Amino acid sequence: MATFLGSESPWTGGKRSSRNIIAKITHSQIAGQGFSRGTQLPEALLQERDKRAKWHGIPELLQKLHESSHPNSDLSHTHSVLKELSSLLSMEAMSFVTEDRKSAQESTFPNTYTFDLFGGVDGPLLFMSVSLVPAVNDDLVKDCLSVLYNCCICTEGVTKSLAARDDFVLFLFTLMTNKKTFLQTATLIEDILGVKKDMIQLEGIPNLSGLVQSFDQQQLANFCRILSVTISEPDVRNDDKHTLLAKNAQQKRNASPSRAEVNQVTLLNIPGFIERLCKLATRKVSEATGASNFLQELEDWYTWLDNALVLDALMQMATEEAEHSSTESSDESSMATSPLRHRLPQSMKIVHEIMYKVEVLYVLCVLLMGRQRNQVHKMLAEFRLIPGLNNLFDKLIWRKYTSSDHVVHGQNENCDCSPEISFKIQFLRLLQSFSDHHENKYLLLNSQELNELSAISLKANIPEVEALVNTDRSLVCDGKKGLLTRLLAVMKREPPDSSFRFWQARAVESFLRGATSYADQMFLLKRGLLEHILFCIIDSGCKSRDVLQSYFDLLGELMKFNIDAFKRFNKYVSTDDKFQTFMTQINSSLVDSNMLVRCIVLSLDRFESQTEDVKVVEVLSECCLLSYMARVENRLSFLFRLVNVINVQTLTQENVSCLNTSLVVLMLARRRGKLPFYLNTLREKEYAEKYPGCLLNNFHNLLRFWQRHYLNKDKDSTCLENVSVLPLMQTFGTSTF
């Protein structure tokens, strides 16, 4: 039978090799067939060397394993050998896990190194290659998988070697059909795909649709850990490759969809896949005990349960114990009847469910940001994901305060924080992706809150937003508060430097992004959001640049074109000291605050055209922020620094907003016939700095890049025009500055 390893060398014949190594080497020179692994060395030589090298009999055990590597061998004897090997390796793997996954060294894990050196990995592969033969029992396959996984934990080279065998990786997926070997298989696949050079194509997995549909909910949640690797774009660590210039060049080279995008489509084509993920994300956890000591229990158990594998193994024990005492079932209610599950702390049950939800929310979030976003949005709304999460908010998602003073994690960054923190961050990222420039954002409210928006529009004598009118009220949140309102409440309670503030602000900002809605702004203003943001920026002592940037962006969306917001701002920033503190925060990093600067400039321009409105005139004359921006020298100061902080080679998705803001300033100047004055002032600044041409030449190059970058991207250009409410494409599309 064919195996992953090819056929055995014919001169070994599967029997104990000759004791004379010289004769073996001579024969190999004549026949052209040399040693393919260390276990082909004479047994006596291995035994003698074993004593000095302290191999613990591993080479001899591997010899026995290879000699019985065929379907007709005595599998019970083979299994006992494998178990002996497994015990030697598992101790080192557990040591690696409990030592915070330090870099594996040969001296640290000698058994694993010896096992790999003598071709030990090939043994388990041989047995799994014949595992479809009925005689091979599940326990043998599980031990093979455990041996491979233990080797992968301690030796990255083994993981990379397995990842390079595409046929083996695809074969592993076929083992997932067996519930008894599913957990070990899933964990091994996850590790292998994590180091695989090329992303696997899901459509190449035999009968993927049938495989996924056969999973129970627990298996599907575990499978999401694997899927997260297959649908996310690779995280390129080289900063140079994050620049827009490099990304544009890469897109030209790779015009076709990436493997991650193809895999996303493959998943969406699986019947019932999204619906089941929504059910997993929103299902409740049985709470049999009180929550008074929840946080302490959670921390204690997480310290011991370093990874999901150990926790899943214990939960599997609970399930298996239940199966012995009742009919086999995989739903949540049957798991709750397990005697072992009752003996587990309540916090452990909750952590187990949270770990599942983290992976599920991550997959949903990635799909929401993909090319099939509208299709995913439609399904998430239909399957009531948002109302379900709203019902879990107080009982599970934000049931207690959790300290989060770590750095802000990015989209693809590995996170070593607790499950509780990961869960909250994934939840907030999902809300951000769900609301961003999409009419379904109103599903985050309940019916009463939707009525409040309508009343705000009616009172202001403005038409309701079309998306609000078209919202299907049977799909909105239930209860006294919608999800957005609940989020605002916990946002105000977060400590100043908590990284949750960053994600919370991003989620709320995404609700406001797109075409400016006065009703949406007033809804949030009435709940004290502006005062909370100003407190965080001015009075809280917050030092986190990530948090401050998110609050500047949120403040810009909240205040844009809203005269009531500027009036509230002036009421809070009532002293010169507060105003100076606020401006110091803005000026300390324009990359972080330029979106707010853009909002102020645009709002000032609009208000100055509404001088017939008494309230507008009053605020214009009293608001310190508008008065500051009305002075030309201040706008020019911002313009100079915005152009000076970037160039074409350093433009990224993070700082390209500085270029867009500078264009808005110049466009408004052009509209008022002051563009020549602005450009001449920039030229004078060049000479004053003794760098003639540096500013205008840099800006000219930036403008040329901007034309190429945005004119070919309908979505990006439309979003930019919606944000600025200016015909930027028409103005700069053919500009020859």
Side-chain angles (χ1 to χ4, degrees):
M1 177 178 290
T3 71
F4 301 117
L5 308 169
S7 57
E8 287 287 303
S9 300
W11 57 280
T12 64
K15 298 179 180 179
R16 187 66 58 89
S17 54
S18 169
R19 299 176 65 88
N20 192 324
I21 188 171
I22 302 298
K24 299 258 317 179
I25 294 175
T26 302
H27 178 83
S28 69
Q29 292 174 337
I30 297 173
Q33 296 173 319
F35 292 106
S36 61
R37 61 179 182 273
T39 52
Q40 291 174 330
L41 293 171
E43 181 180 359
L45 177 63
L46 292 176
Q47 288 176 343
E48 182 180 350
R49 179 62 181 166
D50 190 294
K51 298 175 183 177
R52 287 182 290 173
K54 297 181 179 180
W55 287 336
H56 302 292
I58 290 176
E60 188 176 359
L61 289 171
L62 287 175
Q63 276 189 336
K64 296 177 182 179
L65 197 62
H66 278 281
E67 287 166 6
S68 58
S69 58
H70 54 87
N72 297 322
S73 63
D74 182 359
L75 295 183
S76 61
H77 173 68
T78 302
H79 197 181
S80 65
V81 173
L82 193 64
K83 279 183 172 296
E84 192 172 347
L85 284 167
S86 180
S87 65
L88 291 171
L89 301 178
S90 62
M91 289 187 294
E92 292 185 346
M94 183 59 69
S95 172
F96 181 69
V97 169
T98 55
E99 291 179 9
D100 297 327
R101 294 184 175 269
K102 296 176 183 177
S103 299
Q105 302 291 334
E106 295 174 9
S107 58
T108 309
F109 307 111
N111 291 345
T112 305
Y113 173 70
T114 303
F115 183 84
D116 182 38
L117 179 66
F118 283 89
V121 173
D122 294 346
L125 292 185
L126 280 166
F127 283 109
M128 284 194 296
S129 70
V130 297
S131 64
L132 299 181
V133 177
V136 180
N137 61 49
D138 294 333
D139 290 335
L140 178 56
V141 176
K142 285 171 66 174
D143 284 330
C144 287
L145 291 166
S146 295
V147 166
L148 291 176
Y149 178 68
N150 289 335
C151 288
C152 289
I153 286 180
C154 298
T155 310
E156 188 179 16
V158 172
T159 318
K160 291 181 177 179
S161 175
L162 295 176
R165 308 182 187 194
D166 290 337
D167 54 347
F168 171 67
V169 175
L170 292 177
F171 170 76
L172 282 178
F173 281 93
T174 66
L175 296 181
M176 299 182 80
T177 58
N178 187 338
K179 186 174 182 179
K180 292 184 178 180
T181 60
F182 174 88
L183 184 59
Q184 290 79 5
T185 307
T187 310
L188 181 59
I189 292 175
E190 182 186 359
D191 271 27
I192 289 175
L193 295 187
V195 301
K196 190 170 175 59
K197 187 175 181 181
D198 298 319
M199 184 176 291
I200 189 174
Q201 288 185 288
L202 292 179
E203 59 186 4
I205 299 174
N207 190 26
L208 175 65
S209 179
L211 178 68
V212 173
Q213 289 177 305
S214 71
F215 291 156
D216 59 34
Q217 290 295 77
Q218 179 174 326
Q219 290 174 315
L220 182 61
N222 274 298
F223 191 59
C224 283
R225 299 215 302 258
I226 295 172
L227 294 181
S228 64
V229 183
T230 68
I231 62 175
S232 304
E233 297 294 348
D235 185 18
V236 182
R237 295 292 180 182
N238 188 338
D239 288 340
D240 292 339
K241 295 184 179 180
H242 284 302
T243 65
L244 296 183
L245 200 63
K247 287 184 177 181
N248 286 353
Q250 184 179 16
Q251 288 174 355
K252 287 181 180 179
R253 291 192 302 268
N254 305 321
S256 57
S258 66
R259 284 197 172 187
E261 290 171 333
V262 173
N263 285 341
Q264 291 174 24
V265 174
T266 301
L267 288 180
L268 292 175
N269 288 334
I270 298 177
F273 176 71
I274 296 296
E275 181 178 9
R276 293 186 66 191
L277 289 191
C278 289
K279 289 181 179 179
L280 265 172
T282 59
R283 75 176 181 182
K284 298 179 180 179
V285 182
S286 301
E287 297 181 342
T289 61
S292 57
N293 297 320
F294 169 74
L295 287 177
Q296 185 60 49
E297 280 187 298
L298 183 62
E299 188 65 29
D300 290 344
W301 278 96
Y302 178 69
T303 300
W304 180 64
L305 301 170
D306 186 72
N307 62 10
L309 173 67
V310 181
L311 185 55
D312 280 335
L314 285 172
M315 299 308 292
Q316 186 181 53
M317 289 169 57
T319 305
E320 289 174 351
E321 187 172 331
E323 289 174 353
H324 287 301
S325 59
S326 61
T327 57
E328 183 170 335
S329 177
S330 61
D331 61 20
E332 190 178 2
S333 61
S334 69
M335 289 183 64
T337 64
S338 166
L340 178 58
R341 185 175 176 86
H342 280 307
R343 293 199 296 270
L344 298 176
Q346 174 69 5
S347 60
M348 184 174 173
K349 303 173 193 175
I350 294 174
V351 172
H352 193 235
E353 185 68 20
I354 283 175
M355 283 180 169
Y356 284 162
K357 286 179 171 18
V358 167
E359 304 301 337
V360 171
L361 292 182
Y362 180 84
V363 170
L364 291 176
C365 188
V366 173
L367 293 175
L368 264 177
M369 295 186 294
R371 293 192 179 188
Q372 281 66 43
R373 185 187 186 211
N374 288 334
Q375 178 187 355
V376 176
H377 245 294
K378 182 179 180 181
M379 289 190 284
L380 296 187
E382 178 185 351
F383 301 132
R384 293 180 56 82
L385 173 69
I386 297 302
L389 291 176
N390 187 49
N391 293 334
L392 286 180
F393 190 87
D394 292 330
K395 294 181 179 179
L396 182 65
I397 301 173
W398 232 280
R399 53 181 290 151
K400 290 287 183 180
Y401 163 71
T402 307
S403 176
S404 175
D405 54 359
H406 55 85
V407 296
V408 177
H409 294 283
Q411 165 76 4
N412 295 321
E413 189 171 353
N414 293 326
C415 180
D416 58 358
C417 50
S418 74
E420 183 88 351
I421 292 174
S422 297
F423 183 38
K424 289 180 178 180
I425 291 176
Q426 288 301 333
F427 164 75
L428 294 170
R429 289 184 61 250
L430 178 74
L431 291 193
Q432 178 188 358
S433 303
F434 187 86
S435 301
D436 193 19
H437 289 91
H438 202 281
E439 59 185 15
N440 275 351
K441 68 179 185 178
Y442 290 111
L443 298 183
L444 271 64
L445 309 180
N446 63 19
S447 295
Q448 292 78 12
E449 292 164 346
L450 293 178
N451 292 337
E452 183 179 341
L453 287 179
S454 300
I456 293 172
S457 298
L458 181 63
K459 183 178 179 180
N461 197 27
I462 57 176
E464 289 185 68
V465 177
E466 184 178 357
L468 175 61
V469 176
N470 295 334
T471 298
D472 186 345
R473 300 212 169 197
S474 67
L475 302 177
V476 301
C477 292
D478 308 313
K480 296 180 179 180
K481 295 180 181 179
L483 201 48
L484 180 63
T485 304
R486 294 182 191 276
L487 177 58
L488 289 174
V490 298
M491 183 178 178
K492 294 178 181 179
R493 296 197 296 266
E494 285 297 321
D497 286 309
S498 167
S499 64
F500 289 141
R501 281 186 178 271
F502 171 85
W503 295 108
Q504 289 163 345
R506 284 282 178 255
V508 178
E509 182 208 349
S510 68
F511 180 82
L512 292 171
R513 291 183 68 183
T516 304
S517 167
Y518 174 80
D520 293 352
Q521 291 173 325
M522 293 306 300
F523 179 85
L524 297 174
L525 286 171
K526 290 170 65 177
R527 284 158 175 78
L529 180 59
L530 183 136
E531 289 78 10
H532 165 71
I533 297 172
L534 293 177
F535 172 81
C536 181
I537 295 174
I538 299 173
D539 300 316
S540 71
C542 177
K543 304 297 183 184
S544 168
R545 296 313 311 178
D546 292 309
V547 172
L548 287 172
Q549 180 187 11
S550 65
Y551 271 66
F552 282 133
D553 292 348
L554 174 55
L555 188 61
E557 292 294 337
L558 186 63
M559 295 180 66
K560 187 167 58 181
F561 307 134
N562 193 310
I563 197 67
D564 297 291
F566 280 89
K567 187 173 183 179
R568 282 173 175 257
F569 175 94
N570 209 50
K571 183 178 180 180
Y572 187 93
V573 187
S574 55
T575 66
D576 288 340
D577 287 343
K578 281 193 172 185
F579 183 70
Q580 289 304 320
T581 302
F582 181 77
M583 293 309 301
T584 299
Q585 292 280 44
I586 286 182
N587 287 315
S588 63
S589 177
L590 274 182
V591 172
D592 298 330
S593 62
N594 79 89
M595 296 287 284
L596 176 59
V597 172
R598 188 192 310 176
C599 149
I600 301 168
V601 171
L602 286 167
S603 299
L604 175 64
D605 179 75
R606 174 173 292 191
F607 296 155
E608 288 179 339
S609 67
Q610 298 174 337
T611 52
E612 73 284 351
D613 190 317
V614 176
K615 184 165 72 170
V616 171
V617 173
E618 178 186 348
V619 175
L620 275 173
S621 63
E622 296 177 355
C623 182
C624 53
L625 186 59
L626 292 173
S627 299
Y628 181 89
M629 197 60 72
R631 293 195 284 274
V632 176
E633 63 270 22
N634 290 333
R635 289 204 298 273
L636 283 169
S637 175
F638 279 123
L639 178 62
F640 168 74
R641 285 181 292 149
L642 285 168
V643 175
N644 203 38
V645 77
I646 53 175
N647 58 59
V648 172
Q649 285 69 37
T650 61
L651 274 181
T652 65
Q653 201 64 47
E654 294 298 318
N655 61 27
V656 70
S657 58
C658 293
L659 174 56
N660 295 330
T661 299
S662 65
L663 291 178
V664 168
V665 173
L666 289 171
M667 183 175 179
L668 294 176
R670 184 186 188 191
R671 179 187 288 178
R672 294 175 178 243
K674 294 182 179 181
L675 182 59
F677 170 74
Y678 275 61
L679 297 178
N680 283 331
T681 304
L682 289 178
R683 183 178 291 112
E684 291 172 3
K685 186 71 173 176
E686 290 177 340
Y687 283 97
E689 299 287 337
K690 297 182 180 180
Y691 288 105
C694 66
L695 280 175
L696 291 180
N697 286 339
N698 182 44
F699 181 71
H700 183 267
N701 293 332
L702 288 167
L703 180 57
R704 288 300 187 192
F705 174 82
W706 185 91
Q707 290 172 321
R708 294 191 300 271
H709 181 72
Y710 280 105
L711 293 182
N712 295 325
K713 296 185 177 181
D714 293 339
K715 179 182 176 182
D716 286 351
S717 61
T718 301
C719 290
L720 186 58
E721 289 192 338
N722 285 338
V723 169
S724 61
V725 197
L726 293 173
L728 294 173
M729 302 304 115
Q730 178 182 347
T731 302
F732 294 114
T734 57
S735 176
T736 56
F737 263 89

